Amino acid sequence: MTTLLRNIGELVTNDPTSGDRYGIMRDAALEFDDGVVTWVGLDSEVPRRTVDEAEIVDIGGRCVIPGFVDSHTHLAFAGERSLEFAARMAGKPYTAGGIATTVAATRAATDDELRTLIGARIHEMRAQGTTTVEIKTGYGLTVEHEERLARIAREFTEHVTFLGAHVVPAEYVGNAEDYVDLVCGEMLDAVAPFVTAIDVFCEDGAFTVEQSRRIIRAGLDRGLDGRIHAGQLGESTSVQMALEEGVLSIDHATYLSLGDIDELRTGDAVVTLLPGSDFSTRQPYPDARRLLDAGVHVALATNCNPGSSYTSSMAFCIAMAVREMRMTPSEALWAATAGGAMALGRDDIGFLEVGKRAHIVELDAPNHVHLAYRPGENLVRNVWS
Ligand code: NIG
């Protein structure tokens, strides 16, 4: 069935060949058929054939944007850690150690309990405009539990990332190298049928730069994409290492040296900023302006997890990126859609142009600036995908 969205007050396509640099058009229309965009243009120029044959939806002058692409989440978890959050707000620092609490709760949950929890989170995200989501493992940390999380997460998305190297689990404390061997060997074998990427938390209290390099290499050797949690809690040589190894996405990047920015400028990696974690851990926000001005591709994601960022709202992340990280509303929306798609290695989503997936969100607002201008509101009126 062909659907024609008419009377769109502002259409954000992310296609610089239509409209401005972000492909923003006024008084537009968009047609899609069988999940694919088939026509985009001015409402006054809709082809006659389309008007006669399509189901017509009157957008009433509101704004239409591509569906959000949330390229960094940890949705496969049970339990919550609100007391840790309260302690942080009272002055305690965030440390990697809290992950163990969620590992215990997640291991104790049944498969069906996990399915219900993940399903509810995805439902919550979709209601807020997210049409593609990545899910990491990382709260299992045994071969059996990491395989289970990867398998269950795969029921919900094609973008499952193996994060067996989230922290060294209690059973291996003092024996981190043996755990890295397990991650690169038996654990990777077990999750491989379900995952498309490998990730590692490279930070004090988690994995060293050299351990992280081994882990990323093991995944790349298996044909997976590489990702890294780098520069979340402090500077290190992790960014340089990740670029040398050819990762697709460098995530967090709250702490970057000038040298890191120089290397990122010439590298291919997307930098995925996660302001929800900086908000919830009372950290400084990353310097998005410096990255953008250096020409680095930036993505925005929620990092939804119970420890450092318990939000599923991309709009909230856009508002923080605009208010706290000096991104323009257009840059922030691009990062939450096209940027997320780049971070997942996808070129068929994140854009509303002919031939791309029809992942479409209608906002109850006249333009996309309202995403940051009205923080805390869910402005999503309709989602097609
Ligand atoms: O991206 N940094 C590592 N992983 C998550 C936090 C996980 C947790 O604290 O449970 C993050 O912030």
mmCIF file of all heavy atoms in Angstrom, residues 1 3 21 41 73 102 213 240 248 252 284 332:
data_model
loop_
_atom_site.group_PDB
_atom_site.id
_atom_site.type_symbol
_atom_site.label_atom_id
_atom_site.label_comp_id
_atom_site.label_asym_id
_atom_site.label_seq_id
_atom_site.Cartn_x
_atom_site.Cartn_y
_atom_site.Cartn_z
ATOM 1 N N MET A 1 0.841 -1.208 0.000
ATOM 2 C CA MET A 1 0.000 0.000 0.000
ATOM 3 C C MET A 1 0.876 1.257 0.000
ATOM 4 O O MET A 1 1.803 1.372 0.794
ATOM 5 C CB MET A 1 -0.893 -0.028 1.259
ATOM 6 C CG MET A 1 -1.769 1.201 1.443
ATOM 7 S SD MET A 1 -3.024 1.291 0.142
ATOM 8 C CE MET A 1 -3.703 2.905 0.396
ATOM 9 N N THR A 3 1.560 5.092 0.800
ATOM 10 C CA THR A 3 1.075 6.110 1.740
ATOM 11 C C THR A 3 1.702 7.445 1.350
ATOM 12 O O THR A 3 2.894 7.506 1.028
ATOM 13 C CB THR A 3 1.479 5.754 3.184
ATOM 14 O OG1 THR A 3 0.979 4.447 3.475
ATOM 15 C CG2 THR A 3 0.922 6.748 4.194
ATOM 16 N N ARG A 21 21.496 22.235 4.094
ATOM 17 C CA ARG A 21 22.561 21.281 4.418
ATOM 18 C C ARG A 21 22.036 20.015 5.116
ATOM 19 O O ARG A 21 22.590 18.937 4.998
ATOM 20 C CB ARG A 21 23.487 22.074 5.330
ATOM 21 C CG ARG A 21 24.709 21.434 5.727
ATOM 22 C CD ARG A 21 25.554 22.446 6.472
ATOM 23 N NE ARG A 21 26.561 21.676 7.175
ATOM 24 C CZ ARG A 21 27.164 22.069 8.264
ATOM 25 N NH1 ARG A 21 26.876 23.241 8.796
ATOM 26 N NH2 ARG A 21 28.048 21.309 8.831
ATOM 27 N N GLY A 41 9.199 15.686 -2.005
ATOM 28 C CA GLY A 41 9.224 16.954 -2.729
ATOM 29 C C GLY A 41 8.283 17.962 -2.100
ATOM 30 O O GLY A 41 7.782 17.769 -0.980
ATOM 31 N N THR A 73 23.134 1.172 23.395
ATOM 32 C CA THR A 73 22.296 0.907 24.570
ATOM 33 C C THR A 73 22.742 -0.393 25.231
ATOM 34 O O THR A 73 23.377 -1.247 24.616
ATOM 35 C CB THR A 73 20.785 0.749 24.243
ATOM 36 O OG1 THR A 73 20.522 -0.605 23.857
ATOM 37 C CG2 THR A 73 20.313 1.699 23.162
ATOM 38 N N THR A 102 24.338 -5.178 38.628
ATOM 39 C CA THR A 102 23.404 -5.503 37.538
ATOM 40 C C THR A 102 23.696 -6.890 36.968
ATOM 41 O O THR A 102 22.779 -7.596 36.534
ATOM 42 C CB THR A 102 23.481 -4.426 36.440
ATOM 43 O OG1 THR A 102 23.168 -3.167 37.042
ATOM 44 C CG2 THR A 102 22.492 -4.693 35.320
ATOM 45 N N ARG A 213 42.799 -3.828 23.044
ATOM 46 C CA ARG A 213 43.259 -4.059 21.667
ATOM 47 C C ARG A 213 43.081 -5.545 21.300
ATOM 48 O O ARG A 213 42.581 -5.883 20.228
ATOM 49 C CB ARG A 213 44.739 -3.658 21.549
ATOM 50 C CG ARG A 213 45.248 -3.672 20.113
ATOM 51 C CD ARG A 213 46.755 -3.563 20.056
ATOM 52 N NE ARG A 213 47.303 -2.297 20.455
ATOM 53 C CZ ARG A 213 47.417 -1.217 19.661
ATOM 54 N NH1 ARG A 213 46.950 -1.252 18.434
ATOM 55 N NH2 ARG A 213 47.978 -0.121 20.106
ATOM 56 N N GLN A 240 43.485 6.504 20.368
ATOM 57 C CA GLN A 240 44.518 6.242 19.361
ATOM 58 C C GLN A 240 44.543 4.751 18.999
ATOM 59 O O GLN A 240 44.583 4.376 17.825
ATOM 60 C CB GLN A 240 45.852 6.665 19.969
ATOM 61 C CG GLN A 240 46.972 6.750 18.987
ATOM 62 C CD GLN A 240 48.273 7.014 19.741
ATOM 63 O OE1 GLN A 240 48.286 7.744 20.751
ATOM 64 N NE2 GLN A 240 49.341 6.415 19.284
ATOM 65 N N LEU A 248 34.525 1.061 14.236
ATOM 66 C CA LEU A 248 33.482 1.835 13.552
ATOM 67 C C LEU A 248 33.058 3.030 14.405
ATOM 68 O O LEU A 248 32.744 4.094 13.888
ATOM 69 C CB LEU A 248 32.288 0.890 13.327
ATOM 70 C CG LEU A 248 31.168 1.279 12.406
ATOM 71 C CD1 LEU A 248 31.678 1.655 11.032
ATOM 72 C CD2 LEU A 248 30.178 0.104 12.283
ATOM 73 N N HIS A 252 31.374 7.566 24.098
ATOM 74 C CA HIS A 252 31.572 8.418 25.281
ATOM 75 C C HIS A 252 32.405 9.626 24.879
ATOM 76 O O HIS A 252 31.889 10.707 24.709
ATOM 77 C CB HIS A 252 32.201 7.691 26.474
ATOM 78 C CG HIS A 252 31.220 6.838 27.210
ATOM 79 N ND1 HIS A 252 30.251 7.364 28.017
ATOM 80 C CD2 HIS A 252 31.057 5.502 27.248
ATOM 81 C CE1 HIS A 252 29.524 6.383 28.531
ATOM 82 N NE2 HIS A 252 29.987 5.238 28.068
ATOM 83 N N PRO A 284 31.552 16.333 33.391
ATOM 84 C CA PRO A 284 31.471 17.364 32.347
ATOM 85 C C PRO A 284 30.900 16.740 31.075
ATOM 86 O O PRO A 284 30.997 15.523 30.885
ATOM 87 C CB PRO A 284 32.926 17.772 32.120
ATOM 88 C CG PRO A 284 33.751 16.689 32.712
ATOM 89 C CD PRO A 284 32.926 16.007 33.765
ATOM 90 N N ALA A 332 22.279 18.279 16.217
ATOM 91 C CA ALA A 332 21.904 17.254 17.194
ATOM 92 C C ALA A 332 20.933 16.244 16.582
ATOM 93 O O ALA A 332 21.054 15.027 16.807
ATOM 94 C CB ALA A 332 21.291 17.908 18.432
#
